[in-house]
Amino acid sequence: MKAWHVAELGEPKDVLALVEVADPVPGAGQLVVKVLASPANFPDVLMCRGLYQVRPELPFTPGVELCGEVVALGAGVTGFAVGERVVGGSVLPYGGFGELALMDAATTFPAPPELDDAQASSLYIGYQTGWFGLHRRAGLRAGETLLVHAAAGGVGSAAIQLGRAAGARVIGVVGGPEKAEVARELGADVVIDRREQDFVEVVKAETGGRGADVVYDPVGGETYTRSTKCIAFEGRILVVGFAGGEIQSAALNHALVKNYSIVGLHWGLYNRYDPAAVAECHRDLTRLAADGAVRPLVSERLALDEVAGGVQRLADGVTVGRVVVQP
């Protein structure tokens, strides 16, 4: 089969190469799928650079989540059939940026029929992260104010829709007028262009000085630090990632004085410690998709030979929603 390989570490455009590789063979508890769609995620960028917490042995094929059609079942796999459309995580080194991929049956789920292949492929990591972050970790309640950073990106766009579905008032922060328009279309009640406005002042003004009840922060660095200046009494700051490139230090005396919580979110740990909750989350996301409450934003649909450029655009921070490969 054809697949994109990373044989050395660096920027995606420099290290991704389209090559011929052997087809994957399923081990016990695994499935081989024909890749129907696989979105680029920031972990794919970080793995190309060698900066992710998971460092697969070289060479490997990125693409950490996908929608695929089952073509082969490994020993002990039940509940799936050849020809079934599924979504979930890949098993590296056979990621989604190829014609075939390997999946673990334990982290594979039926694809919602209401979503096309590209949308379904984007429902797993970003939306599960948002669901666990907002509901399990932050306890978001109807009527609260949710501040979402990088609101036009793949993770942020999911948080907007999930926040709205939970009955929260959503304030989205973006960089640039084009991304601001995307955030509005996604349903954000207030949109802040950080290049033109100080989000701290806008949040205070929009909440009568109270601040945001929940901050969804996949950016980190100075974004996190400034968020502490507009967090409400008993607010919760969700530390989701560090796409800005800087891992901040938290001033714990400030959290004490203002009475807010700093909440970490490592979604992948739920697959290890509470897989039943992951299955519950997928059922809820499937229901929300059926109701039309969530609909992953797919901004680019790439042919297989366009992968390197698409992943690099994600790395450069110029994409909105999901950039999806459809071999």
Side-chain angles (χ1 to χ4, degrees):
M1 69 166 182
K2 290 182 178 179
W4 286 88
H5 254 195
V6 175
E8 59 180 338
L9 301 177
E11 286 301 296
K13 64 181 175 59
D14 299 324
V15 300
L16 278 164
L18 186 59
V19 297
E20 293 276 350
V21 299
D23 292 357
V25 176
Q30 296 179 335
L31 309 91
V32 173
V33 299
K34 173 185 175 183
V35 178
L36 302 177
S38 181
N41 282 271
F42 207 69
D44 296 313
V45 173
L46 294 178
M47 280 192 287
C48 286
R49 294 171 174 168
L51 299 177
Y52 195 54
Q53 56 258 38
V54 176
R55 299 190 179 186
E57 183 178 342
L58 299 174
F60 67 92
T61 296
V64 293
E65 67 177 331
L66 66 145
C67 174
E69 179 185 313
V70 177
V71 297
L73 305 174
V77 174
T78 59
F80 296 97
V82 171
E84 183 178 356
R85 197 174 71 122
V86 295
V87 298
S90 66
V91 177
L92 299 183
Y94 289 100
F97 297 166
E99 294 175 320
L100 298 172
L102 198 60
M103 302 179 76
D104 189 328
T107 56
T108 300
F109 304 94
E114 293 80 9
L115 303 181
D116 66 25
D117 295 337
Q119 293 169 332
S121 72
S122 306
L123 190 70
Y124 186 55
I125 293 177
Y127 280 83
Q128 286 247 358
T129 297
W131 190 92
F132 275 99
L134 295 177
H135 296 300
R136 290 285 292 258
R137 301 295 288 138
L140 181 68
R141 297 182 290 271
E144 290 191 316
T145 297
L146 168 65
L147 176 63
V148 179
H149 290 292
V155 172
S157 61
I160 288 178
Q161 293 182 349
L162 290 168
R164 291 276 294 176
R169 183 171 187 242
V170 180
I171 301 176
V173 181
V174 299
E178 296 84 2
K179 292 185 177 182
E181 184 57 34
V182 168
R184 291 189 190 96
E185 292 175 358
L186 287 165
D189 298 284
V190 178
V191 178
I192 303 168
D193 183 348
R194 57 180 170 77
R195 298 176 183 174
E196 302 292 336
Q197 299 171 285
D198 179 352
F199 76 80
V200 174
E201 295 306 316
V202 176
V203 169
K204 288 180 178 179
E206 289 288 339
T207 59
R210 171 179 167 77
D213 298 289
V214 175
V215 176
Y216 194 84
D217 179 18
V219 180
E222 183 65 16
T223 295
Y224 165 85
T225 302
R226 291 193 54 73
S227 294
T228 65
K229 300 181 184 300
C230 60
I231 186 70
F233 172 76
E234 291 197 327
R236 293 84 76 197
I237 300 178
L238 268 167
V239 179
V240 182
F242 311 100
E246 178 188 349
I247 299 177
Q248 69 279 353
S249 297
L252 298 183
N253 62 320
H254 192 260
L256 182 153
V257 170
K258 290 193 69 175
N259 210 52
Y260 63 85
S261 301
I262 304 163
V263 184
L265 173 62
H266 182 181
W267 165 75
L269 288 180
Y270 286 96
N271 285 304
R272 182 189 306 174
Y273 293 113
D274 195 355
V278 177
E280 176 195 355
C281 174
H282 183 74
R283 288 191 294 270
D284 196 40
L285 292 175
T286 298
R287 177 187 60 79
L288 290 171
D291 293 343
V294 301
R295 191 76 60 192
L297 171 63
V298 178
S299 60
E300 297 184 52
R301 298 169 186 252
L302 307 179
L304 188 58
D305 61 1
E306 299 174 309
V307 167
V311 178
Q312 188 62 50
R313 287 192 293 278
L314 173 64
D316 294 339
V318 297
T319 61
V320 297
R322 288 294 187 178
V323 175
V324 179
V325 181
Q326 293 195 271

